[in-house]
Amino acid sequence: MRNLCASRASVSLICREIGINRQQFDRYLTGASLPSAHNLRRIARYFALSEQQLLSGQLDDTVGAPGLEAPSSFAAALQPEPGELAALRHYLGFYFYYFLTPSWPGQVQCGLLQLYERDHRVLTRYIGRVQDPDYGRITRSRFHGHAVLRGDRIFILEHARGPVDGFGQTILYAAHRHQANYLTGMASGIGWHPHRGPFASRVILRRLRVNLTLREALTACGLFRINGSNLDPIVRNFFSTSETMFMTG
């Protein structure tokens, strides 16, 4: 446990995030007492270990990477940094996710993005729902991802399963703690219509109102003209500026 604690910012931070009294935790570190079954389970989950591993002291190179078993440099980069989880909790919730779609030029696509916490990580879930303006078909897309905070940027790495697997990335500016209703940044991914070409677009996220149900939110997703009056004014101005960036390849 002392080796595990040495990889974190401080023992006090570990105690706060686990929810254990610091004096009691010090007794575990010195061997003066053993954790109760309840506390043992909480400590093991915090360090992404089984209770047997924690008691045996036989640790491998993957320890400290919650939910990640591969000791690759990429897996290591996804390990949470000290204080990261506490900072990311400020952004948990649902957002409308707006970007310029390569499938229908001149249109802004809106989907629904959720940031949620699980096993000491912040994960993401994206749901897209679009009605093809040419044929009227409803198409849906789903991405699952992992969010990390590095400096003042939030990185979201996503994966979608389908006939052909795909990956995407979103980089967001971290907002001031009192100004998280809108987040802006850049996104890159693979378009699906009319062909699977790579693209990049500026993105803006708008936090959902607390009184809006998920069913209502999904119904509000879809395609909007860049200058359409039914598009949120802040979102419309964001994409109407001369700095708007959209690339395909």
Side-chain angles (χ1 to χ4, degrees):
M1 283 180 60
R2 286 195 295 269
N3 289 335
L4 291 170
C5 291
S7 66
R8 306 301 169 102
S10 69
V11 174
S12 295
L13 176 63
I14 293 171
C15 293
R16 287 197 300 271
E17 292 188 337
I18 297 177
I20 290 181
N21 178 272
R22 169 63 191 268
Q23 291 182 339
Q24 184 63 44
F25 194 80
D26 285 340
R27 292 176 61 83
Y28 301 156
L29 292 178
T30 60
S33 66
L34 288 174
S36 65
H38 176 66
N39 283 344
L40 179 65
R41 188 178 307 112
R42 294 163 70 190
I43 296 170
R45 288 187 60 185
Y46 179 81
F47 289 111
L49 297 171
S50 68
E51 297 168 36
Q52 291 75 18
Q53 284 179 304
L54 193 62
L55 290 175
S56 70
Q58 301 300 314
L59 306 180
D60 57 33
D61 292 337
T62 66
V63 168
L68 298 172
E69 299 178 356
S72 66
S73 59
F74 180 75
L78 293 179
Q79 295 183 31
E81 294 189 342
E84 177 182 316
L85 182 58
L88 281 175
R89 282 177 177 146
H90 179 59
Y91 301 97
L92 300 181
F94 288 88
Y95 296 83
F96 284 123
Y97 183 108
Y98 299 90
F99 65 99
L100 293 173
T101 171
S103 302
W104 295 281
Q107 302 270 5
V108 174
Q109 182 171 337
C110 173
L112 193 61
L113 179 73
Q114 180 190 16
L115 275 72
Y116 62 99
E117 181 180 345
R118 177 180 294 172
D119 298 330
H120 304 291
R121 296 179 296 165
V122 173
L123 306 179
T124 66
R125 181 184 296 112
Y126 172 88
I127 301 175
R129 180 184 182 277
V130 175
Q131 183 174 16
D132 191 313
D134 300 320
Y135 303 101
R137 293 193 302 263
I138 299 294
T139 59
R140 294 175 174 84
S141 57
R142 291 177 178 270
F143 283 82
H144 295 271
H146 188 138
V148 297
L149 181 67
R150 295 295 181 267
D152 59 350
R153 300 290 186 271
I154 300 171
F155 292 82
I156 299 176
L157 307 174
E158 298 176 296
H159 175 228
R161 287 193 175 277
V164 180
D165 284 5
F167 296 88
Q169 180 181 22
T170 301
I171 304 174
L172 300 169
Y173 290 92
H176 187 275
R177 61 178 300 178
H178 300 300
Q179 298 175 342
N181 286 333
Y182 290 89
L183 299 172
T184 61
M186 288 287 299
S188 60
I190 300 293
W192 65 272
H193 171 82
H195 55 80
R196 288 178 53 81
F199 77 95
S201 169
R202 292 180 71 198
V203 297
I204 180 169
L205 279 61
R206 187 185 79 184
R207 189 185 288 272
L208 264 64
R209 302 192 313 270
V210 293
N211 60 344
L212 191 67
T213 67
L214 291 183
R215 182 181 295 274
E216 292 171 332
L218 286 172
T219 301
C221 295
L223 295 176
F224 300 85
R225 296 194 313 275
I226 291 180
N227 58 353
S229 59
N230 59 341
L231 190 61
D232 178 288
I234 293 179
V235 175
R236 183 172 63 243
N237 292 337
F238 176 78
F239 286 113
S240 298
T241 63
S242 58
E243 297 179 356
T244 295
M245 184 176 183
F246 174 67
M247 300 181 298
T248 61

